[in-house]
Amino acid sequence: MFKMMKTDWSAAKYYYKRILLVPLCMLVVGALSAIYLVPMGMFLMFSISVNPFAVEEKGDLNRFYLTLPVERTAIVKGRYALSFVLCMAGILLGAVLMPLANLFSLSRWYPDFKWMLAIVSFSFLFYGVMSLAMYPQLFRLGYQKGKIWGYYLPAVIICLLYVGIMEYDMLVKDGLFVTELLIYASEHVLAVSGGMFVLGAALLGISYMLSVLIYGKREF
């Protein structure tokens, strides 16, 4: 698994420079409110995790991988392991950039541990949802055929929901909608945050099992 993860990461080196844009994009969003930085960081890094699919198809690496003494399950594990590492890095980056965003943000936000736990658990649930929506399709169809249904459509829907929530929170609720949710989550931290972690893990597990099943039957 770790060898495949390293192989995928090395194969996608052409896209490394895109990672440099991630903090900039996050700070643009942070200009509205630092509260969005953690899930945004996770989302952007997850988007980078699909790059090995593009490289794999462009270089016809699937056929090469299958000539190696590597099971298809290991290929799927490596892809999921890479996405997990990148997403956790995005969550950490969001937490680190919060104090910087608060210097110029329209809405100041200084979370305590419970609020931060709620944000991180939501981001993990978000990761599980995206993984289920995108990865099985990409493993089934490949990047070129699957990118519309397995990447662009889910990404557009997520972005529209993201913008809609921000606009509603800033214009309609005057910044209170997300805050109220976080207050509720912090007051019921074990039930809400724990529930989101468990649900996110369940969705991630379902996504992985589907990908293993689909990729195992795929013909090249």
Side-chain angles (χ1 to χ4, degrees):
M1 179 184 74
F2 292 106
K3 288 183 179 180
M4 290 308 306
M5 181 175 67
K6 183 178 179 180
T7 299
D8 279 333
W9 180 242
S10 299
K13 61 183 179 181
Y14 173 78
Y15 298 97
Y16 287 177
K17 56 188 177 183
R18 294 186 181 183
I19 297 178
L20 300 177
L21 297 176
V22 170
L24 178 61
C25 293
M26 291 172 66
L27 289 176
V28 170
V29 173
L32 296 176
S33 175
I35 201 172
Y36 301 107
L37 286 182
V38 173
M40 174 58 74
M42 190 281 306
F43 172 69
L44 293 175
M45 294 302 284
F46 182 87
S47 297
I48 289 174
S49 79
V50 307
N51 289 331
F53 286 97
V55 174
E56 169 190 83
E57 189 155 307
K58 185 176 180 180
D60 201 16
L61 295 181
N62 274 305
R63 297 181 188 277
F64 170 70
Y65 289 160
L66 298 178
T67 63
L68 301 174
V70 176
E71 295 182 355
R72 294 193 182 197
T73 303
I75 297 175
V76 177
K77 285 182 179 178
R79 202 66 53 86
Y80 273 83
L82 179 59
S83 76
F84 180 81
V85 170
L86 289 175
C87 288
M88 294 307 104
I91 288 175
L92 179 60
L93 180 61
V96 170
L97 289 179
M98 273 186 179
L100 178 59
N102 269 328
L103 296 177
F104 58 86
S105 177
L106 296 176
S107 176
R108 301 291 191 272
W109 189 64
Y110 301 97
D112 61 13
F113 174 76
K114 291 182 178 180
W115 283 36
M116 198 65 198
L117 182 60
I119 289 290
V120 171
S121 60
F122 170 76
S123 299
F124 185 72
L125 173 59
F126 193 10
Y127 169 43
V129 170
M130 289 194 301
S131 176
L132 181 58
M134 298 183 184
Y135 267 49
Q137 287 292 334
L138 293 173
F139 275 112
R140 182 171 72 93
L141 300 173
Y143 184 76
Q144 290 302 320
K145 292 181 180 179
K147 64 183 178 182
I148 298 297
W149 304 107
Y151 177 67
Y152 287 123
L153 182 60
V156 168
I157 292 174
I158 289 167
C159 287
L160 290 176
L161 288 173
Y162 213 83
V163 172
I165 290 172
M166 287 193 295
E167 289 292 330
Y168 180 78
D169 197 33
M170 297 299 295
L171 300 178
V172 180
K173 294 286 288 185
D174 194 26
L176 295 177
F177 177 67
V178 175
T179 302
E180 290 170 354
L181 292 179
L182 286 172
I183 291 174
Y184 179 83
S186 65
E187 292 175 347
H188 306 81
V189 62
L190 293 180
V192 176
S193 297
M196 286 192 289
F197 269 119
V198 170
L199 182 56
L203 293 176
L204 188 61
I206 294 171
S207 174
Y208 169 75
M209 289 187 291
L210 283 175
S211 294
V212 169
L213 180 63
I214 290 169
Y215 192 66
K217 295 181 178 180
R218 186 177 170 189
E219 296 182 359
F220 297 97

